[in-house]
Amino acid sequence: MSSRKGRKDAAQVVRAQLAREKRRTRTIWTSVAAVAVLLIAGLIGWSVYRSQKSETFTTPPGANPPGTGIVLGDGPVTIDLYEDYLCPVCKNFQETSGPTINQLISDEKVRVIFHPVAFLNRFSTTEYSTRSSAAAGCAAQGGKFKEFTDQLFARQPAEGSAGLSDDELIDIGAGVGLNRNDFGSCVKDGKYKGWTEHVTDDASKSGVTGTPTIRVNGQNVEDRSPEGIRAAVEAAGK
């Protein structure tokens, strides 16, 4: 009798253990499923956010079809020029090689895509890189992109400063012939800040890690001197 009872008790213990294992297995798979659902929902949400975000920017007139830069010239060779208006090396590049690029445009040898990126916001207390790039978009809207860009480099503020104020940017725009009211409204409304973010994101995705970066027909140019740029353009045109 006691032996039969012992076997019955043992069977009950086994059944109880199996039941616990089943419950634990169900709990684990339920948790895994919940995590999977959350992960999928998160990925879908992020994709929607990115797609919506990419559609919120306004592209200024004169931009290339992807909206990643302002185009000047229509020559057979393409120069992509990535610059940050707070970058001292970019200013030096403009002073030494800017006239060469201007001449290549005038000679109809190149098509230059200017990509005003905002890599150096961390070196400004007011996100000057973004503000100045967005203002350049406003200048493009008024047909004075290059003139405005030249003046931004000529009056470049020091890294670590607040940078030029919006009012100072507006003064520069008016000084190169932009309508003060229209240009001023565009700057103060931040109309092209979303575009600046788009330009900067695209530059990062294309492997640009610093400024200035110069590419001729998609190839990086290490020699940024006037002679180096002319040689790269001539080689690409052959």
Side-chain angles (χ1 to χ4, degrees):
M1 184 71 176
S2 60
S3 176
R4 191 179 304 129
K5 184 177 183 299
R7 287 196 298 272
K8 183 178 179 181
D9 290 343
Q12 289 176 339
V13 170
V14 170
R15 286 196 295 272
Q17 288 177 338
L18 290 173
R20 285 196 296 271
E21 287 297 326
K22 288 181 180 179
R23 286 196 297 271
R24 185 168 66 177
T25 300
R26 282 199 301 269
T27 300
I28 290 172
W29 281 111
T30 299
S31 299
V32 169
V35 170
V37 168
L38 290 173
L39 180 60
I40 293 170
L43 290 173
I44 292 173
W46 174 250
S47 298
V48 171
Y49 167 74
R50 289 298 296 177
S51 65
Q52 289 176 341
K53 184 179 179 183
S54 65
E55 294 172 358
T56 59
F57 69 89
T58 300
T59 303
N64 59 351
T68 60
I70 302 299
V71 181
L72 294 180
D74 56 2
V77 175
T78 297
I79 295 178
D80 285 282
L81 178 55
Y82 298 84
E83 294 181 301
D84 189 307
Y85 294 124
L86 192 59
C87 164
V89 182
C90 298
K91 177 180 180 179
N92 293 338
F93 170 78
Q94 284 295 335
E95 291 173 346
T96 58
S97 296
T100 297
I101 290 179
N102 292 342
Q103 189 61 53
L104 289 169
I105 292 173
S106 297
D107 292 343
E108 298 183 350
K109 291 184 177 181
V110 297
R111 168 179 176 263
V112 182
I113 306 175
F114 293 87
H115 307 268
V117 298
F119 283 172
L120 301 180
N121 275 331
R122 65 188 184 280
F123 294 115
S124 165
T125 58
T126 65
E127 295 193 337
Y128 177 72
S129 293
T130 290
R131 291 192 299 107
S132 56
S133 175
C138 295
Q141 177 177 291
K144 297 286 185 180
F145 173 81
K146 189 62 170 60
E147 294 87 342
F148 183 71
T149 286
D150 289 345
Q151 286 304 305
L152 284 183
F153 283 121
R155 295 184 55 181
Q156 185 182 77
E159 289 183 330
S161 69
L164 302 176
S165 67
D166 285 351
D167 286 338
E168 288 173 315
L169 292 173
I170 293 167
D171 286 341
I172 291 174
V176 300
L178 290 163
N179 180 280
R180 178 179 289 274
N181 291 333
D182 293 343
F183 179 69
S185 296
C186 182
V187 170
K188 292 196 171 182
D189 290 345
K191 181 175 180 178
Y192 294 110
K193 284 186 176 181
W195 171 70
T196 292
E197 184 175 350
H198 172 68
V199 172
T200 305
D201 285 347
D202 180 80
S204 296
K205 290 175 183 175
S206 70
V208 176
T209 58
T211 53
T213 290
I214 297 91
R215 291 174 175 169
V216 172
N217 279 2
Q219 300 299 312
N220 285 351
V221 176
E222 301 302 330
D223 182 357
R224 300 191 294 253
S225 68
E227 296 77 18
I229 292 172
R230 283 190 178 278
V233 169
E234 290 174 8
K238 291 179 180 178

